[in-house]
Amino acid sequence: MGAQQHGGGPDEDEYADALFALEDIDTGHGSPAPADAGPMFRDSPAARRLLSVRAIHAEPAAAASARGRQILARFPEAEVVPVASHWGIPDLHGNEGNVDRWVRVKSETLVLGEKKTLTTRPNGRSADWIAPGPANGCAMACAYCYVPRRKGYANPITVFTNIESIIVHLSRHVARLGPKTEANQCDPTAWVYDIGENSDCSVDALISDNVADLIRSFARMPTAKASFATKFVNPDLLLLDPRGRTRVRFSVMPQADSKLLDIRTSPVEHRIAAAGDFLEAGYEVHFNLSPVVLRPDWERDWSLLLRHMDDALPRAVKEQAAAEVIMLTHNKDLHELNLGWHPRAEEALWRPDLQQPKRSQNGSLNVRYRGAVKAEAVQTMRTLVATHAPWLRIRYAF
């Protein structure tokens, strides 16, 4: 059901069968915040520490677009480096020397490009569909993350500036589907679109209005919802008006795991504490219990986390919450790369005594827990949730 579009922004006649008018799209001249909202978090010192951009590799058309100009204006002191394509930048992608400055690359480098091929893929787990996202890459540096493999491991954020084309593509896809007539584990009534498969939308929203534009667009779609997982609390998202049409999935894990593996993310307790605010702001709030890393005392620490969630979360969050339980999948190449910048993480992630090879759908050689080990751990997690957070419905576990 995918479509393909090339070049810059679409012509007006491309919007003829969209679910909203051309003037509803923010092309970079406005702000997602109400006039009286006060200072934006994305302009704060904390946000600047996460993203202290010094170099922007930009496709010429992306830099010249309205969204591109908005981003360049946010980082006026950054050096702009013209590139032919956001893929395969020689000094950035596949450069083994970047291992020594792994976190600096993610913090100081940004890429601007246009998403040339727009495809919506079926999923059936986190969402019914995987949407063409507004970005890929991340400024955070979780040691287990699969996303860095997409562009040669050094994978800072690439922002796609042709957001209008992405939204039109999604609007048409939703319109073609019509109402959802059969409930499934993704959602009983709405088609769910994951808009952040290869990035963290909460961090992306520090850079541009792409995520805000998507949230506003889905707010107008009565048969669909946006969805994204996040490890970062961005209070600017509370200023939007999602109208229940965006599902935020806060990823959580025991603090001992997060301190070791979730590099540059918001503390887990902050993610849990933010759930009530996001629900009140009009989001649906779910949780990802992921990744589940098998190491000594993992059952005890997950029990403590679930008890904390039970104590800390408001009743309103519990009444609508659901969760995904995802066991760790790792990758041999990523293991070897991590040994160059964060070897302690691999003591927990790389467990040949418990893991077996797995060829992924994209051809990568991954490792996952052996069948019997994984099955037992999944059942343990189900039991822990039922015991300590019985209100938390598990949508799926694998």
Side-chain angles (χ1 to χ4, degrees):
M1 289 189 166
Q4 183 168 313
Q5 300 186 22
H6 299 276
D11 297 328
E12 289 195 23
D13 59 1
E14 293 188 43
Y15 291 86
D17 59 350
L19 299 182
F20 48 84
L22 177 61
E23 59 269 20
D24 287 336
I25 298 177
D26 182 348
T27 57
H29 303 291
S31 167
D36 59 350
M40 298 284 286
F41 174 77
R42 68 184 185 185
D43 297 322
S44 68
R48 295 290 184 181
R49 283 193 296 272
L50 184 69
L51 279 166
S52 53
V53 177
R54 297 185 179 183
I56 300 177
H57 300 262
E59 296 176 359
S65 68
R67 186 50 38 92
R69 294 195 304 272
Q70 179 198 43
I71 295 168
L72 294 177
R74 282 194 51 72
F75 304 102
E77 297 180 1
E79 177 189 8
V80 180
V81 182
V83 295
S85 171
H86 64 87
W87 283 99
I89 299 171
D91 293 337
L92 190 61
H93 302 139
N95 181 353
E96 293 182 3
N98 283 328
V99 173
D100 293 337
R101 49 193 303 271
W102 186 250
V103 174
R104 287 186 60 189
V105 168
K106 289 176 166 292
S107 173
E108 298 178 357
T109 306
L110 196 62
V111 180
L112 304 185
E114 291 187 327
K115 199 172 187 70
K116 305 301 192 297
T117 302
L118 303 180
T119 303
T120 296
R121 312 187 327 267
N123 178 250
R125 283 181 169 171
S126 292
D128 295 289
W129 303 94
I130 303 296
N136 69 35
C138 193
M140 299 183 291
C142 301
Y144 49 81
C145 183
Y146 67 88
V147 172
R149 301 200 291 272
R150 291 186 57 80
K151 289 190 174 181
Y153 290 90
N155 194 21
I157 296 173
T158 297
V159 180
F160 298 121
T161 60
N162 55 326
I163 187 65
E164 305 100 319
S165 297
I166 293 172
I167 291 176
V168 167
H169 166 87
L170 287 170
S171 178
R172 287 175 167 172
H173 194 277
V174 172
R176 286 198 300 269
L177 287 175
K180 190 176 193 177
T181 57
E182 294 184 13
N184 62 14
Q185 64 92 17
C186 300
D187 193 87
T189 60
W191 297 109
V192 181
Y193 290 75
D194 193 322
I195 62 172
E197 181 191 30
N198 290 310
S199 68
D200 190 306
C201 289
S202 297
V203 178
D204 298 339
L206 299 175
I207 301 168
S208 78
D209 291 340
N210 274 6
V211 173
D213 288 344
L214 283 165
I215 290 173
R216 279 193 288 262
S217 298
F218 274 94
R220 298 179 176 91
M221 298 182 187
T223 63
K225 289 179 182 177
S227 177
F228 63 88
T230 184
K231 301 181 183 73
F232 188 77
V233 178
N234 182 351
D236 290 345
L237 298 180
L238 299 174
L239 303 175
L240 305 177
D241 184 20
R243 306 178 193 176
R245 311 311 297 177
T246 294
R247 174 185 294 165
V248 176
R249 303 174 349 252
F250 284 107
S251 294
V252 298
M253 61 169 56
Q255 184 57 38
D257 289 332
S258 182
K259 185 176 180 180
L260 177 66
L261 306 174
D262 274 359
I263 310 302
R264 311 188 84 220
T265 64
S266 297
V268 172
E269 60 267 28
H270 291 185
R271 304 175 212 173
I272 294 170
D277 293 335
F278 274 77
L279 182 67
E280 187 175 347
Y283 293 89
E284 185 178 38
V285 178
H286 285 192
F287 297 94
N288 282 8
L289 311 183
S290 71
V292 178
V293 178
L294 304 187
R295 41 83 175 168
D297 297 324
W298 71 271
E299 302 100 323
R300 179 202 65 191
D301 289 350
W302 274 101
S303 296
L304 293 173
L305 174 64
L306 291 164
R307 290 177 197 167
H308 173 67
M309 293 175 68
D310 188 49
D311 291 339
L313 289 171
R315 177 181 301 223
V317 171
K318 295 178 180 180
E319 288 175 347
Q320 55 83 68
E324 305 163 12
V325 178
I326 306 172
M327 307 299 295
L328 171 72
T329 297
H330 201 24
N331 176 272
K332 185 176 185 296
D333 291 338
L334 184 58
H335 161 67
E336 294 175 355
L337 186 148
N338 283 347
L339 291 175
W341 76 280
H342 191 18
R344 282 193 59 239
E346 290 307 301
E347 296 174 10
L349 298 178
W350 192 253
R351 295 289 306 276
D353 57 318
L354 298 179
Q355 293 165 329
Q356 64 185 17
K358 173 185 180 292
R359 183 69 66 177
S360 71
Q361 292 180 346
N362 64 11
S364 297
L365 183 60
N366 298 330
V367 294
R368 66 180 177 186
Y369 296 121
R370 294 192 186 115
V373 172
K374 180 177 177 180
E376 182 178 355
V378 167
Q379 184 55 50
T380 297
M381 283 296 296
R382 289 186 177 275
T383 301
L384 292 176
V385 171
T387 301
H388 303 297
W391 44 268
L392 185 57
R393 176 173 58 91
I394 296 177
R395 292 200 296 114
Y396 71 89
F398 76 100

